[in-house]
Amino acid sequence: METEPCEEFDPAAKPTKPEVEEAITEPADDDNHTELPCGSAEEGQELHGEEQAEAESCTGESQSSDIRKPSDPEQCGDTACKEQRKLQNTNSWKTVRFQEPSMDDDVLEIDSSAESLFPEYVTEEWTSSTFEELFGADDWLDITEDRLLRKKLVKSGAPDALIPVWGQEVSVKMQCVLEDRTVVEKDTKLVFVIGEGDVNQALEECVMSMQKREITLLLADSQCAYGLLGREPDIPSWAPLLYQLQLLDFREKLDPLTLPVADRIRIGNQKRERGNFHFQREEYSMAARAYSMALDVLTTRSRDGGNGGVKTEEEEVRDYRVKCLNNLATVQIKLEQYQEALSSSREVLTLEPNNVKSLFRAGKLLSDMGEYKEAMEVLKRALKLEPTTKAIHAELSKLVRRQSGGKGTQEWISKPAAMLGDNITPFLIPSKKKPSGISWKFILGALVVALGSLVTSLILTARN
């Protein structure tokens, strides 16, 4: 499930980020996003962020603080279903690989061997030159004005050939090494769409300077690759990279809605994983973009208006949409897009009405926005589904305080699951604060003092 981060909410003002995130901060991925914590333990393993879900459900999911390897969504169930889907595994660096719909070949695991994909073009620059020498070499061309990306032509492409542009789909043969020549990326046919964030900036920029069949060396500063965070476990922080690339082909991007449903599921899932990758790195805008693109693909509708899939495919698409929407809502909260997060949560509930994670998040957002009546209804639904979750009780208690104007006249009292009902009145008890006004004990004491003074005055008068 998922998570977020506290200050009392002013109904007249826009909800603050800490307020909304108080019980919803979620880690980045799908079903492992946990929102409702069980005591101090947090659940959810997807959108991992700084503040893990303060409200994570006790459903047995486990949450980590990053998305090193997002768990696969719920499986179809049996081996036959897995074989039917043939979902393509993405590579370790979360590069999206768009396989031709007609291709049935299994996807090979990433090849990290030292064997070159270009044995006839093994140059000194590829094998032994230091990166400092290459950044300063005169026979290298600057792809960007800041000299962070440089290339050297190894083999020319087709004469007068066009070069790919933004939004087109390209396929490249690629290998990549660190300065010590450790192989960290290798692919005989990597397919991606320029501008959709499927690969790093270095690859996108370079292919837009290449002709078909061209082979080139690409030297990328870390700022155009994996930067400060690097990429665990193989690329260190601030590591420059050296690529050897060949542009195999390029074409206009295919309309996803013309593809078979199984291919849409595969592509959508890869986009979702890319979103998880960005969430882990706290690149929230890019994560939101990846999840949105995944949702555009994850549909059983076709351009001809047909159903386009059997029931099992429809269910699988729905499950993936729920995961993406939950992830997207979490990212939107990180970006302080609270209305958008509420809309995403409501869309989840149209697909899966008993999704506790979305019920809790929606209730929390509604409460922070001052929509107390609807928030109460939504949180009560969440409580019925998970009556032992402390975070829901905590949010209901806060909501009751807000409804009473923060004066503490009532408070939410947690009760055993067996006692829960539709009416929350039995769980609201009067505050233990004593009523305001003058105490009868105080009045009686004052009368005693006054009477004593009068008696003393009479005695003194009699003596005189």
Side-chain angles (χ1 to χ4, degrees):
M1 294 206 214
E2 313 170 325
T3 20
E4 280 53 25
C6 312
E7 202 166 277
E8 201 59 20
F9 172 78
D10 180 3
K14 174 183 176 182
T16 61
K17 176 178 179 180
E19 175 72 0
V20 177
E21 291 187 341
E22 181 177 79
I24 311 178
T25 305
E26 313 182 356
D29 201 6
D30 17 61
D31 39 342
N32 286 338
H33 284 291
T34 312
E35 222 168 6
L36 310 175
C38 290
S40 60
E42 297 174 353
E43 308 171 350
Q45 191 175 357
E46 321 240 327
L47 295 174
H48 309 50
E50 327 111 295
E51 309 113 2
Q52 303 296 340
E54 166 193 345
E56 318 252 323
S57 71
C58 310
T59 55
E61 298 168 351
S62 64
Q63 172 177 352
S64 59
S65 58
D66 58 351
I67 319 177
R68 304 284 154 71
K69 184 177 180 182
S71 61
D72 288 338
E74 302 152 16
Q75 303 301 320
C76 287
D78 53 14
T79 306
C81 181
K82 294 178 183 177
E83 291 178 352
Q84 177 187 5
R85 285 285 159 275
K86 289 189 177 177
L87 288 182
Q88 185 173 3
N89 294 326
T90 52
N91 292 318
S92 63
W93 62 95
K94 298 295 185 297
T95 295
V96 179
R97 302 184 60 186
F98 293 94
Q99 187 178 5
E100 292 288 344
S102 58
M103 292 177 63
D104 236 357
D105 300 332
D106 292 333
V107 179
L108 299 177
E109 292 295 327
I110 181 173
D111 180 6
S112 60
S113 66
E115 182 179 353
S116 175
L117 293 180
F118 306 89
E120 52 285 36
Y121 299 102
V122 179
T123 63
E124 180 181 353
E125 291 91 343
W126 178 253
T127 57
S128 57
S129 298
T130 66
F131 284 5
E132 183 178 359
E133 294 172 343
L134 301 183
F135 272 115
D138 294 333
D139 55 345
W140 283 62
L141 301 176
D142 293 325
I143 299 177
T144 56
E145 293 181 359
D146 53 17
R147 295 176 65 88
L148 297 179
L149 286 177
R150 310 198 74 205
K151 63 176 282 188
K152 181 177 181 179
L153 187 65
V154 176
K155 178 189 174 185
S156 299
D160 302 322
L162 298 175
I163 60 175
V165 296
W166 192 269
Q168 288 186 319
E169 181 185 272
V170 299
S171 59
V172 299
K173 182 162 68 170
M174 171 271 289
Q175 56 190 9
C176 175
V177 295
L178 300 174
E179 188 165 11
D180 63 3
R181 271 46 185 191
T182 299
V183 178
V184 290
E185 296 182 0
K186 196 172 183 182
D187 204 317
T188 56
K189 187 178 181 182
L190 171 64
V191 184
F192 61 92
V193 177
I194 302 173
E196 291 197 354
D198 300 326
V199 294
N200 59 40
Q201 178 187 349
L203 288 175
E204 288 193 330
E205 295 279 359
C206 186
V207 296
M208 288 191 291
S209 70
M210 298 176 67
Q211 296 176 317
K212 187 175 179 179
R213 298 300 173 186
E214 175 184 325
I215 299 177
T216 191
L217 293 177
L218 168 66
L219 184 63
D221 185 87
S222 61
Q223 296 181 55
C224 299
Y226 296 98
L228 169 65
L229 298 178
R231 190 195 72 200
E232 293 190 3
D234 49 2
I235 299 180
S237 174
W238 298 123
L241 301 174
L242 179 61
Y243 287 91
Q244 192 165 16
L245 304 169
Q246 182 177 28
L247 178 59
L248 301 177
D249 200 1
F250 63 93
R251 66 180 180 184
E252 294 302 319
K253 175 186 174 183
L254 294 176
D255 184 347
L257 297 186
T258 63
L259 300 177
V261 177
D263 286 290
R264 297 182 214 169
I265 292 173
R266 172 179 49 76
I267 294 173
N269 188 44
Q270 291 167 347
K271 293 286 189 183
R272 178 185 59 81
E273 287 186 356
R274 188 69 181 181
N276 296 344
F277 175 76
H278 287 304
F279 186 94
Q280 176 194 2
R281 302 167 67 86
E282 299 183 11
E283 298 165 343
Y284 299 127
S285 295
M286 297 179 70
R289 185 162 174 260
Y291 293 135
S292 296
M293 288 190 293
L295 289 167
D296 290 340
V297 177
L298 289 169
T299 174
T300 55
R301 299 191 308 273
S302 300
R303 282 300 182 200
D304 58 7
N307 191 315
V310 296
K311 188 166 183 72
T312 54
E313 288 178 330
E314 293 176 350
E315 292 174 353
E316 194 169 358
V317 167
R318 182 198 64 196
D319 291 343
Y320 278 115
R321 284 190 66 84
V322 166
K323 294 169 194 272
C324 285
L325 286 165
N326 274 328
N327 293 359
L328 179 59
T330 300
V331 171
Q332 288 166 335
I333 289 174
K334 292 288 187 181
L335 295 171
E336 301 183 39
Q337 298 171 351
Y338 304 118
Q339 286 290 351
E340 291 83 351
L342 181 59
S343 297
S344 298
S345 298
R346 282 172 166 163
E347 191 171 346
V348 171
L349 296 176
T350 62
L351 298 170
E352 198 174 286
N354 291 334
N355 189 292
V356 179
K357 174 174 54 179
S358 288
L359 285 169
F360 177 82
R361 189 193 304 106
K364 171 67 176 165
L365 288 166
L366 288 166
S367 176
D368 291 343
M369 293 174 182
E371 302 291 339
Y372 299 142
K373 182 178 179 181
E374 186 178 357
M376 181 65 74
E377 294 173 356
V378 173
L379 289 172
K380 282 172 59 182
R381 287 171 57 193
L383 189 65
K384 282 185 181 181
L385 295 168
E386 291 193 10
T388 59
T389 300
K390 294 181 179 179
I392 301 177
H393 287 280
E395 190 58 38
L396 280 166
S397 179
K398 182 189 296 184
L399 177 57
V400 170
R401 289 196 302 271
R402 287 174 173 174
Q403 286 180 305
S404 63
K407 299 177 182 178
T409 56
Q410 289 179 313
E411 63 181 23
W412 174 267
I413 300 300
S414 300
K415 294 292 183 181
M419 297 179 62
L420 291 174
D422 292 335
N423 186 5
I424 68 167
T425 304
F427 306 105
L428 297 174
I429 65 172
S431 171
K432 294 181 181 179
K433 290 185 178 180
K434 297 175 181 177
S436 59
I438 301 176
S439 171
W440 66 270
K441 292 182 179 180
F442 177 79
I443 296 174
L444 181 60
L447 289 175
V448 170
V449 171
L451 186 60
S453 299
L454 179 61
V455 171
T456 302
S457 177
L458 292 174
I459 294 174
L460 292 176
T461 303
R463 287 181 178 179
N464 291 332

